[in-house]
Amino acid sequence: AALNPWDVMLCVSGTAIACENALVVAIICYSPALRTPMFVLVGSLATADLLAGLGLILNFVFQYVIRSETVSLLTVGFLVASFAASVSSLLAITVDRYLSLYNALTYYSERTVLCIHTMLAGAWGVSLCLGLLPVLGWNCLHDRAACSVVRPLTKSNVTLLSASFFLIFLVMLHLYIEICKIVCRHAHQIALQQHFLTASHYVTTKKGVSTLAIILGTFGASWLPFAIYCVVGDPDYPSVYTYATLLPATYNSMINPIIYAYRNQEIQRSMWLLLCGCFHAKVSFRSRSPSDV
């Protein structure tokens, strides 16, 4: 079959995603110092995005090399589980950031570690179940009328996935608004302790709000078009619409390492050690706290 340029772009996107996130996973596994709850969450996100990138590559290979309904179902299920785990890990990171600010005094405790491990276990468990649904029979291979814009997923299946995404997005939006309030309140209290509102108070608050807006805006801009199209789209529409909304969604997994990993000073130092095998003491690194936004 002739190569579809959209499939090629998805494969290229998957390759970039896999390379970026494989480096993050290697850094976290390589560095014993990166064992805090924050880096466990970042590692979960990088692992999910790594699997998603590999899934996009495998989907391209199997689509043009091995044509099989069984392989197609397995690949789609793998992609659904990987992207679901990625979105769920983003939610877990948001919850962790909120808790690190709301319960700052008790954040560094065994209870926090247990909470994070429980969140991750639940996130990956639900993601695996969502990925198994099409494999176990919730597909439209034998009923073309039930197909959605993402074959071989059914309309009811993609509706469930979209509804889950909308719920996660609303929860993240609420938590980031609360985080923004806490950040602004803390900055204001610090300024009042100095008996006057300094310019740094305004700069700190503006920076925190801007960063939160970028994080949530990037996530929404990547996934919302695809989630909305899955609900309102019709399988008879040209497939270019599906590709045009799905491709930006994959970019979220490409941007995640930049936002959540490569900006962190500890990961930068570990990456320097891993790639170069040396570290110049004169280069200063400041470790970010989990609540840094």
Side-chain angles (χ1 to χ4, degrees), residues 9 16 28 45 60 64 111 113 152 165 188 236:
M9 286 189 288
I28 293 178
L45 175 63
F60 178 82
Y64 290 96
R111 183 177 180 181
V113 176
F165 168 79
H188 184 72
D236 293 330

Side-chain angles (χ1 to χ4, degrees), residues 25-249:
V25 173
I27 291 172
I28 293 178
C29 293
Y30 168 80
S31 306
L34 304 181
R35 295 294 185 268
T36 62
M38 177 183 63
F39 291 114
V40 171
L41 292 171
V42 173
S44 172
L45 175 63
T47 301
D49 288 333
L50 169 60
L51 294 176
L54 293 176
L56 290 172
I57 298 173
L58 292 175
N59 181 67
F60 178 82
V61 172
F62 292 143
Q63 186 173 355
Y64 290 96
V65 178
I66 305 175
R67 291 182 173 272
S68 168
E69 291 184 350
T70 301
V71 173
S72 175
L73 282 176
L74 291 174
T75 305
V76 170
F78 185 80
L79 283 171
V80 169
S82 300
F83 281 119
S86 176
V87 174
S88 300
S89 296
L90 288 174
L91 176 60
I93 290 176
T94 306
V95 173
D96 175 69
R97 286 184 167 180
Y98 173 75
L99 292 177
S100 68
L101 288 170
Y102 186 76
N103 297 321
L105 297 178
T106 60
Y107 177 80
Y108 294 97
S109 64
E110 294 183 0
R111 183 177 180 181
T112 301
V113 176
L114 177 61
C115 177
I116 288 177
H117 288 168
T118 302
M119 281 196 303
L120 289 181
W124 281 91
V126 172
S127 301
L128 180 60
C129 291
L130 291 175
L132 286 175
L133 289 178
V135 179
L136 297 178
W138 202 1
N139 58 70
C140 63
L141 291 179
H142 304 293
D143 184 11
R144 296 294 180 180
C147 281
S148 67
V149 294
V150 184
R151 297 181 179 86
L153 300 181
T154 64
K155 295 178 182 178
S156 56
N157 194 341
V158 297
T159 300
L160 172 63
L161 295 174
S162 297
S164 301
F165 168 79
F166 292 138
L167 178 60
I168 290 176
F169 182 76
L170 290 176
V171 172
M172 290 178 62
L173 177 61
H174 172 72
L175 289 176
Y176 272 125
I177 291 176
E178 293 300 317
I179 291 174
C180 185
K181 291 179 180 178
I182 295 174
V183 170
C184 294
R185 185 165 60 248
H186 285 180
H188 184 72
Q189 290 173 349
I190 293 173
L192 289 179
Q193 289 176 359
Q194 299 174 353
H195 305 293
F196 59 91
L197 295 177
T198 62
S200 60
H201 165 260
Y202 173 76
V203 173
T204 301
T205 304
K206 182 179 179 180
K207 181 180 178 181
V209 174
S210 300
T211 305
L212 291 176
I214 291 174
I215 292 174
L216 194 62
T218 301
F219 177 63
S222 299
W223 278 106
L224 276 176
F226 181 66
I228 294 174
Y229 182 68
C230 284
V231 176
V232 303
D234 189 273
D236 293 330
Y237 291 169
S239 60
V240 65
Y241 296 156
T242 302
Y243 283 114
T245 53
L246 175 60
L247 186 62

